[in-house]
Amino acid sequence: MPATTTITVDAPVATLINVFTVQADRQRELVDVLVTATEEVMQHMPGFVAANIHASDDGTRVINYAQWETADAFKAMLDTPAAQVHMRQAAALADGFDPHLYAVASVHHR
């Protein structure tokens, strides 16, 4: 069974949330670059679990919510030349970006 995004407290994953700011006329292109990066490179890397790309309704933000088996697996990806090519493409389209690793602190359901 393929891995899927897991949002639970104490999930054994490292969660990347990267918030990109972008001009509305470039949002779709940035989404496409992130999707291509995921399909061509990221999902084939050791430790990759899942990625979810979100586009804001107002066109000014794109969020990459990705999970890796460990923080070390995520950091190893950052040093991979193939991943760096895509990260440079995304950075060139964005006005800014703010990546951080997170742990889930709380989850609520109705």
Side-chain angles (χ1 to χ4, degrees), residues 81-100:
Q84 291 173 355
V85 167
H86 290 287
M87 290 185 290
R88 282 192 299 272
Q89 290 173 329
L93 289 168
D95 294 334
F97 49 93
D98 190 24
H100 294 279

Side-chain angles (χ1 to χ4, degrees), residues 20-24 26-27 30 59-62 93-96:
F20 294 86
T21 54
V22 64
Q23 297 298 309
R26 296 177 122 190
Q27 185 191 51
L30 178 56
T60 65
R61 302 276 189 287
V62 175
L93 289 168
D95 294 334

